[in-house]
mmCIF file of all heavy atoms in Angstrom:
data_model
loop_
_atom_site.group_PDB
_atom_site.id
_atom_site.type_symbol
_atom_site.label_atom_id
_atom_site.label_comp_id
_atom_site.label_asym_id
_atom_site.label_seq_id
_atom_site.Cartn_x
_atom_site.Cartn_y
_atom_site.Cartn_z
ATOM 1 N N ARG A 1 2.399 -8.473 13.856
ATOM 2 C CA ARG A 1 3.598 -8.924 13.138
ATOM 3 C C ARG A 1 3.657 -8.430 11.691
ATOM 4 O O ARG A 1 4.348 -9.067 10.846
ATOM 5 C CB ARG A 1 3.723 -10.433 13.200
ATOM 6 C CG ARG A 1 3.753 -11.075 14.555
ATOM 7 C CD ARG A 1 4.872 -10.357 15.393
ATOM 8 N NE ARG A 1 6.169 -10.628 14.868
ATOM 9 C CZ ARG A 1 7.256 -9.731 15.130
ATOM 10 N NH1 ARG A 1 7.091 -8.786 15.962
ATOM 11 N NH2 ARG A 1 8.348 -10.022 14.553
ATOM 12 N N GLY A 2 2.804 -7.476 11.368
ATOM 13 C CA GLY A 2 2.866 -6.914 10.004
ATOM 14 C C GLY A 2 3.625 -5.734 9.868
ATOM 15 O O GLY A 2 4.676 -5.520 10.542
ATOM 16 N N VAL A 3 3.422 -4.844 8.906
ATOM 17 C CA VAL A 3 4.189 -3.657 8.894
ATOM 18 C C VAL A 3 3.787 -2.635 9.870
ATOM 19 O O VAL A 3 2.621 -2.819 10.406
ATOM 20 C CB VAL A 3 3.971 -2.967 7.450
ATOM 21 C CG1 VAL A 3 4.545 -3.725 6.317
ATOM 22 C CG2 VAL A 3 2.433 -2.712 7.180
ATOM 23 N N HIS A 4 4.582 -1.830 10.411
ATOM 24 C CA HIS A 4 4.194 -0.958 11.472
ATOM 25 C C HIS A 4 3.187 0.161 11.085
ATOM 26 O O HIS A 4 2.266 0.438 11.854
ATOM 27 C CB HIS A 4 5.447 -0.108 11.914
ATOM 28 C CG HIS A 4 6.598 -0.929 12.386
ATOM 29 N ND1 HIS A 4 7.611 -1.474 11.533
ATOM 30 C CD2 HIS A 4 6.943 -1.497 13.573
ATOM 31 C CE1 HIS A 4 8.466 -2.222 12.188
ATOM 32 N NE2 HIS A 4 8.072 -2.124 13.453
ATOM 33 N N LEU A 5 3.254 0.523 9.806
ATOM 34 C CA LEU A 5 2.242 1.595 9.294
ATOM 35 C C LEU A 5 1.839 1.123 7.928
ATOM 36 O O LEU A 5 2.389 1.457 6.902
ATOM 37 C CB LEU A 5 2.916 3.039 9.183
ATOM 38 C CG LEU A 5 3.502 3.471 10.567
ATOM 39 C CD1 LEU A 5 4.242 4.795 10.199
ATOM 40 C CD2 LEU A 5 2.303 3.751 11.585
ATOM 41 N N PRO A 6 0.690 0.528 7.843
ATOM 42 C CA PRO A 6 0.037 0.273 6.512
ATOM 43 C C PRO A 6 -0.498 1.627 6.028
ATOM 44 O O PRO A 6 -1.353 2.276 6.724
ATOM 45 C CB PRO A 6 -1.092 -0.691 6.757
ATOM 46 C CG PRO A 6 -0.886 -1.186 8.182
ATOM 47 C CD PRO A 6 -0.112 -0.214 8.826
ATOM 48 N N PHE A 7 0.006 2.186 4.940
ATOM 49 C CA PHE A 7 -0.384 3.521 4.553
ATOM 50 C C PHE A 7 -1.891 3.671 4.436
ATOM 51 O O PHE A 7 -2.625 2.908 3.787
ATOM 52 C CB PHE A 7 0.241 3.898 3.129
ATOM 53 C CG PHE A 7 1.372 4.791 3.249
ATOM 54 C CD1 PHE A 7 2.416 4.675 2.334
ATOM 55 C CD2 PHE A 7 1.359 5.930 4.128
ATOM 56 C CE1 PHE A 7 3.506 5.608 2.431
ATOM 57 C CE2 PHE A 7 2.405 6.810 4.185
ATOM 58 C CZ PHE A 7 3.512 6.609 3.370
ATOM 59 N N ASN A 8 -2.375 4.692 5.030
ATOM 60 C CA ASN A 8 -3.831 5.063 4.992
ATOM 61 C C ASN A 8 -3.948 6.177 4.059
ATOM 62 O O ASN A 8 -3.628 7.318 4.297
ATOM 63 C CB ASN A 8 -4.240 5.523 6.476
ATOM 64 C CG ASN A 8 -5.585 6.257 6.453
ATOM 65 O OD1 ASN A 8 -6.448 6.070 5.556
ATOM 66 N ND2 ASN A 8 -5.764 7.043 7.503
ATOM 67 N N PHE A 9 -4.586 5.827 2.922
ATOM 68 C CA PHE A 9 -4.739 6.792 1.858
ATOM 69 C C PHE A 9 -6.065 7.415 1.721
ATOM 70 O O PHE A 9 -6.537 8.045 0.704
ATOM 71 C CB PHE A 9 -4.456 6.129 0.482
ATOM 72 C CG PHE A 9 -3.053 5.689 0.344
ATOM 73 C CD1 PHE A 9 -2.683 4.352 0.080
ATOM 74 C CD2 PHE A 9 -1.972 6.542 0.377
ATOM 75 C CE1 PHE A 9 -1.455 3.937 -0.089
ATOM 76 C CE2 PHE A 9 -0.539 6.154 0.301
ATOM 77 C CZ PHE A 9 -0.340 4.769 0.038
ATOM 78 N N THR A 10 -6.903 7.250 2.735
ATOM 79 C CA THR A 10 -8.380 7.660 2.632
ATOM 80 C C THR A 10 -8.568 9.086 2.419
ATOM 81 O O THR A 10 -9.524 9.544 1.776
ATOM 82 C CB THR A 10 -9.135 7.230 3.930
ATOM 83 O OG1 THR A 10 -8.462 7.629 5.064
ATOM 84 C CG2 THR A 10 -9.298 5.633 3.977
ATOM 85 N N LEU A 11 -7.653 9.963 2.827
ATOM 86 C CA LEU A 11 -7.868 11.372 2.633
ATOM 87 C C LEU A 11 -7.586 11.883 1.201
ATOM 88 O O LEU A 11 -7.955 12.868 0.857
ATOM 89 C CB LEU A 11 -6.889 12.188 3.651
ATOM 90 C CG LEU A 11 -7.210 12.155 5.174
ATOM 91 C CD1 LEU A 11 -6.339 12.976 5.933
ATOM 92 C CD2 LEU A 11 -8.656 12.570 5.372
ATOM 93 N N LEU A 12 -6.873 10.957 0.491
ATOM 94 C CA LEU A 12 -6.568 11.298 -0.874
ATOM 95 C C LEU A 12 -7.754 11.540 -1.765
ATOM 96 O O LEU A 12 -7.685 12.275 -2.727
ATOM 97 C CB LEU A 12 -5.536 10.322 -1.461
ATOM 98 C CG LEU A 12 -4.193 10.125 -0.858
ATOM 99 C CD1 LEU A 12 -3.382 9.051 -1.599
ATOM 100 C CD2 LEU A 12 -3.359 11.485 -0.858
ATOM 101 N N ALA A 13 -8.770 10.771 -1.454
ATOM 102 C CA ALA A 13 -9.890 10.860 -2.306
ATOM 103 C C ALA A 13 -11.198 11.162 -1.473
ATOM 104 O O ALA A 13 -12.353 11.127 -1.972
ATOM 105 C CB ALA A 13 -10.133 9.624 -3.117
ATOM 106 N N ALA A 14 -11.143 11.564 -0.264
ATOM 107 C CA ALA A 14 -12.265 11.775 0.629
ATOM 108 C C ALA A 14 -12.978 12.914 0.152
ATOM 109 O O ALA A 14 -12.423 14.032 -0.122
ATOM 110 C CB ALA A 14 -11.810 11.924 2.027
ATOM 111 N N PRO A 15 -14.346 12.836 0.078
ATOM 112 C CA PRO A 15 -15.183 14.152 -0.277
ATOM 113 C C PRO A 15 -14.867 15.099 0.946
ATOM 114 O O PRO A 15 -14.852 14.722 2.170
ATOM 115 C CB PRO A 15 -16.569 13.591 -0.151
ATOM 116 C CG PRO A 15 -16.499 12.160 -0.343
ATOM 117 C CD PRO A 15 -15.178 11.673 0.212
ATOM 118 N N TRP A 16 -14.649 16.434 0.641
ATOM 119 C CA TRP A 16 -14.267 17.428 1.579
ATOM 120 C C TRP A 16 -15.458 18.073 2.203
ATOM 121 O O TRP A 16 -15.742 19.196 2.029
ATOM 122 C CB TRP A 16 -13.300 18.377 0.939
ATOM 123 C CG TRP A 16 -12.400 19.013 1.946
ATOM 124 C CD1 TRP A 16 -12.471 20.383 2.390
ATOM 125 C CD2 TRP A 16 -11.341 18.427 2.702
ATOM 126 N NE1 TRP A 16 -11.546 20.569 3.349
ATOM 127 C CE2 TRP A 16 -10.802 19.420 3.578
ATOM 128 C CE3 TRP A 16 -10.791 17.153 2.727
ATOM 129 C CZ2 TRP A 16 -9.699 19.264 4.418
ATOM 130 C CZ3 TRP A 16 -9.758 16.920 3.631
ATOM 131 C CH2 TRP A 16 -9.199 17.972 4.406
ATOM 132 N N ASN A 17 -16.127 17.263 3.043
ATOM 133 C CA ASN A 17 -17.287 17.798 3.776
ATOM 134 C C ASN A 17 -17.287 17.056 5.086
ATOM 135 O O ASN A 17 -16.992 15.880 5.247
ATOM 136 C CB ASN A 17 -18.557 17.700 2.957
ATOM 137 C CG ASN A 17 -18.982 16.353 2.591
ATOM 138 O OD1 ASN A 17 -19.451 15.660 3.485
ATOM 139 N ND2 ASN A 17 -18.890 16.041 1.302
ATOM 140 N N ALA A 18 -17.994 17.764 6.084
ATOM 141 C CA ALA A 18 -18.063 17.126 7.513
ATOM 142 C C ALA A 18 -18.834 15.842 7.471
ATOM 143 O O ALA A 18 -18.418 14.885 8.260
ATOM 144 C CB ALA A 18 -18.588 18.144 8.474
ATOM 145 N N ALA A 19 -19.800 15.764 6.760
ATOM 146 C CA ALA A 19 -20.879 14.603 6.775
ATOM 147 C C ALA A 19 -20.001 13.347 6.377
ATOM 148 O O ALA A 19 -20.347 12.228 6.784
ATOM 149 C CB ALA A 19 -21.942 14.821 5.823
ATOM 150 N N GLU A 20 -19.011 13.459 5.499
ATOM 151 C CA GLU A 20 -18.349 12.213 5.087
ATOM 152 C C GLU A 20 -16.914 12.125 5.740
ATOM 153 O O GLU A 20 -16.446 11.026 5.999
ATOM 154 C CB GLU A 20 -18.110 12.193 3.585
ATOM 155 C CG GLU A 20 -19.546 12.233 2.831
ATOM 156 C CD GLU A 20 -19.513 11.640 1.603
ATOM 157 O OE1 GLU A 20 -18.897 10.621 1.391
ATOM 158 O OE2 GLU A 20 -20.163 12.226 0.616
ATOM 159 N N LEU A 21 -16.248 13.202 5.985
ATOM 160 C CA LEU A 21 -14.941 13.223 6.479
ATOM 161 C C LEU A 21 -14.932 12.708 7.942
ATOM 162 O O LEU A 21 -14.061 11.938 8.328
ATOM 163 C CB LEU A 21 -14.331 14.636 6.409
ATOM 164 C CG LEU A 21 -12.822 14.697 6.520
ATOM 165 C CD1 LEU A 21 -12.122 13.907 5.489
ATOM 166 C CD2 LEU A 21 -12.416 16.158 6.487
ATOM 167 N N ALA A 22 -15.795 13.227 8.756
ATOM 168 C CA ALA A 22 -15.831 12.809 10.235
ATOM 169 C C ALA A 22 -16.059 11.323 10.303
ATOM 170 O O ALA A 22 -15.359 10.584 11.167
ATOM 171 C CB ALA A 22 -16.823 13.679 10.966
ATOM 172 N N PRO A 23 -17.068 10.774 9.679
ATOM 173 C CA PRO A 23 -17.297 9.321 9.818
ATOM 174 C C PRO A 23 -16.042 8.489 9.326
ATOM 175 O O PRO A 23 -15.721 7.410 9.898
ATOM 176 C CB PRO A 23 -18.517 9.037 8.948
ATOM 177 C CG PRO A 23 -19.226 10.294 8.907
ATOM 178 C CD PRO A 23 -18.176 11.403 8.959
ATOM 179 N N LEU A 24 -15.401 8.983 8.321
ATOM 180 C CA LEU A 24 -14.161 8.273 7.772
ATOM 181 C C LEU A 24 -13.153 8.265 8.861
ATOM 182 O O LEU A 24 -12.513 7.186 8.933
ATOM 183 C CB LEU A 24 -13.724 9.071 6.525
ATOM 184 C CG LEU A 24 -12.562 8.534 5.752
ATOM 185 C CD1 LEU A 24 -12.554 8.924 4.310
ATOM 186 C CD2 LEU A 24 -11.226 9.027 6.320
ATOM 187 N N ILE A 25 -12.875 9.311 9.546
ATOM 188 C CA ILE A 25 -11.860 9.402 10.537
ATOM 189 C C ILE A 25 -12.210 8.434 11.666
ATOM 190 O O ILE A 25 -11.461 7.561 12.117
ATOM 191 C CB ILE A 25 -11.640 10.859 11.118
ATOM 192 C CG1 ILE A 25 -11.121 11.703 10.090
ATOM 193 C CG2 ILE A 25 -10.779 10.694 12.329
ATOM 194 C CD1 ILE A 25 -11.182 13.178 10.419
ATOM 195 N N ALA A 26 -13.472 8.309 12.043
ATOM 196 C CA ALA A 26 -13.936 7.535 13.182
ATOM 197 C C ALA A 26 -13.852 6.038 12.759
ATOM 198 O O ALA A 26 -13.484 5.157 13.451
ATOM 199 C CB ALA A 26 -15.368 7.823 13.506
ATOM 200 N N ALA A 27 -14.227 5.724 11.410
ATOM 201 C CA ALA A 27 -14.155 4.378 10.971
ATOM 202 C C ALA A 27 -12.758 3.896 10.877
ATOM 203 O O ALA A 27 -12.421 2.777 11.236
ATOM 204 C CB ALA A 27 -14.757 4.356 9.608
ATOM 205 N N TYR A 28 -11.843 4.751 10.506
ATOM 206 C CA TYR A 28 -10.394 4.340 10.477
ATOM 207 C C TYR A 28 -9.810 4.021 11.861
ATOM 208 O O TYR A 28 -9.215 3.051 12.102
ATOM 209 C CB TYR A 28 -9.523 5.331 9.828
ATOM 210 C CG TYR A 28 -8.096 5.143 9.794
ATOM 211 C CD1 TYR A 28 -7.535 4.053 9.228
ATOM 212 C CD2 TYR A 28 -7.222 6.075 10.358
ATOM 213 C CE1 TYR A 28 -6.128 3.832 9.175
ATOM 214 C CE2 TYR A 28 -5.787 5.861 10.421
ATOM 215 C CZ TYR A 28 -5.346 4.711 9.871
ATOM 216 O OH TYR A 28 -3.932 4.428 9.875
ATOM 217 N N GLU A 29 -10.213 4.962 12.848
ATOM 218 C CA GLU A 29 -9.812 4.738 14.199
ATOM 219 C C GLU A 29 -10.366 3.409 14.668
ATOM 220 O O GLU A 29 -9.650 2.625 15.403
ATOM 221 C CB GLU A 29 -10.208 5.852 15.116
ATOM 222 C CG GLU A 29 -9.430 7.178 15.049
ATOM 223 C CD GLU A 29 -8.220 7.075 15.906
ATOM 224 O OE1 GLU A 29 -8.184 6.174 16.713
ATOM 225 O OE2 GLU A 29 -7.334 7.960 15.771
ATOM 226 N N ALA A 30 -11.651 3.072 14.403
ATOM 227 C CA ALA A 30 -12.197 1.815 14.908
ATOM 228 C C ALA A 30 -11.638 0.624 14.204
ATOM 229 O O ALA A 30 -11.618 -0.476 14.790
ATOM 230 C CB ALA A 30 -13.739 1.876 14.578
ATOM 231 N N ALA A 31 -11.110 0.750 12.947
ATOM 232 C CA ALA A 31 -10.618 -0.379 12.260
ATOM 233 C C ALA A 31 -9.258 -0.814 12.737
ATOM 234 O O ALA A 31 -8.796 -1.962 12.475
ATOM 235 C CB ALA A 31 -10.508 -0.080 10.719
ATOM 236 N N ILE A 32 -8.475 0.133 13.292
ATOM 237 C CA ILE A 32 -7.033 -0.216 13.692
ATOM 238 C C ILE A 32 -7.041 -1.244 14.814
ATOM 239 O O ILE A 32 -7.668 -1.087 15.920
ATOM 240 C CB ILE A 32 -6.339 1.068 14.181
ATOM 241 C CG1 ILE A 32 -6.213 1.974 12.934
ATOM 242 C CG2 ILE A 32 -4.911 0.726 14.643
ATOM 243 C CD1 ILE A 32 -5.817 3.409 13.364
#
């Protein structure tokens, strides 16, 4: 019953490397 899309801004400041980007994507998927 909240907003349909709470903006996900994690990519705006994410370190651009596989070691941090891949876990970030997985963590976001798991949090939804």
Side-chain angles (χ1 to χ4, degrees):
R1 301 307 300 158
V3 292
H4 301 89
L5 300 174
F7 252 144
N8 165 25
F9 296 122
T10 52
L11 291 181
L12 294 179
W16 203 251
N17 60 72
E20 300 204 46
L21 198 59
L24 181 153
I25 296 167
Y28 175 61
E29 281 277 350
I32 296 168

